[in-house]
């Protein structure tokens, strides 16, 4: 699909949205809207395509992009791992900076379908630590540790999120074999590719 490759080309040089200018952002949003008009999976929550590990290509989410403002550190890859069977979603941001002190910020949430394309999301716990000390190798492996109950590492900060404000909704507006587009309740847009 020409619109899909066009979108991927446009977002490639934006460092997930950190380096986007207003002209690029307009072109990206237009390409996203064009793809959404031709969504091949109009009922994404009923599709097995949603399951899996996804890498963020582009976002307008200030919450995610502001992670890059940590002193002495740089934002690495950001992943979203979806486990449909347990209605779970894991957001994982890799943090780099001082050699051997690579970090990780992860937020685990539960989602509840409210329509064929919208989920209500409630954030439940956050894990912050050094990748080496918490045994991080890949997003999928990390999620497996959490879901199996084997993440009992005292070398990372693992704490529950109890605020009622830590919830929202997400519309999945485009889904195919290897690309997903979503829009959040704060007006943010997310473009992700399957890993």
């Amino acid at each position: 699909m020409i619109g899909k490759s066009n979108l991927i080309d446009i977002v490639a040089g934006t460092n997930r949205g950190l380096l986007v200018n207003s002209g690029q952002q307009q072109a990206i949003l237009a390409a996203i809207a064009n793809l959404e008009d031709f969504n091949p999976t109009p009922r994404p929550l009923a599709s097995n395509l949603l399951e899996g590990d996804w890498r963020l290509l582009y976002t307008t989410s200030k919450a995610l992009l502001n992670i890059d403002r940590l002193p002495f550190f740089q934002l690495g890859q950001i992943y979203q791992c979806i486990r449909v069977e347990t209605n779970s979603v894991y957001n994982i941001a890799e943090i780099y900076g001082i050699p051997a002190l690579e970090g990780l910020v992860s937020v685990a949430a539960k989602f509840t379908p409210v329509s064929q394309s919208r989920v209500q999301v409630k954030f439940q716990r956050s894990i912050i630590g050094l990748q080496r000390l918490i045994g991080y190798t890949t997003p999928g492996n990390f999620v497996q540790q959490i879901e199996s109950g084997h993440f009992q590492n005292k070398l990372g900060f693992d704490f529950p999120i109890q605020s009622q404000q830590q919830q929202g909704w997400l519309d999945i507006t485009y889904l195919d074999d290897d690309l997903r587009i979503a829009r959040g309740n704060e007006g943010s847009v997310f473009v992700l590719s399957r890993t």
Side-chain angles (χ1 to χ4, degrees):
M1 173 183 282
I2 249 178
K4 181 175 162 180
S5 62
N6 182 44
L7 174 62
I8 292 169
D9 288 346
I10 297 170
V11 302
T14 67
N15 191 11
R16 291 163 307 241
L18 285 166
L19 304 176
V20 71
N21 63 43
S22 61
Q24 288 172 312
Q25 187 166 35
Q26 292 303 322
I28 290 167
L29 294 176
I32 287 171
N34 183 49
L35 273 180
E36 290 171 331
D37 287 343
F38 299 99
N39 181 10
T41 314
R43 295 181 7 225
L45 295 175
S47 169
N48 61 358
L49 293 175
L50 189 58
E51 174 84 19
D53 301 338
W54 299 84
R55 183 173 57 90
L56 184 71
L57 300 177
Y58 177 81
T59 187
T60 58
S61 169
K62 298 294 184 220
L64 285 178
L65 298 177
N66 281 339
I67 294 173
D68 197 56
R69 299 193 197 292
L70 293 171
F72 309 111
F73 291 96
Q74 180 179 7
L75 183 61
Q77 296 296 335
I78 298 174
Y79 298 95
Q80 187 172 74
C81 303
I82 298 175
R83 302 299 182 258
V84 175
E85 187 176 310
T86 58
N87 284 0
S88 300
V89 61
Y90 301 88
N91 295 324
I92 301 168
E94 299 172 348
I95 311 293
Y96 296 95
I98 302 168
L101 295 180
E102 296 85 7
L104 181 82
V105 176
S106 175
V107 177
K110 290 290 187 183
F111 66 86
T112 305
V114 293
S115 76
Q116 294 184 35
S117 62
R118 179 176 285 190
V119 292
Q120 187 73 30
V121 179
K122 182 164 187 193
F123 298 101
Q124 297 192 311
R125 77 193 268 204
S126 185
I127 298 170
I128 300 170
L130 297 177
Q131 291 180 27
R132 287 183 185 194
L133 296 180
I134 62 175
Y136 177 80
T137 55
T138 65
N141 179 271
F142 184 66
V143 168
Q144 185 178 3
Q145 286 183 51
I146 294 170
E147 291 220 325
S148 67
H150 290 113
F151 187 82
Q152 305 295 332
N153 197 312
K154 305 259 187 249
L155 300 173
F157 298 98
D158 183 358
F159 50 91
I161 299 173
Q162 298 180 355
S163 171
Q164 288 298 319
Q165 295 175 350
Q166 295 300 322
Q167 57 187 338
W169 53 260
L170 192 70
D171 278 333
I172 300 157
T173 57
Y174 181 91
L175 179 64
D176 68 17
D177 291 337
D178 58 5
L179 189 74
R180 179 166 55 93
I181 299 172
R183 293 182 181 264
N185 58 290
E186 294 181 349
S188 298
V189 65
F190 305 88
V191 178
L192 303 103
S193 66
R194 190 179 298 280
T195 61

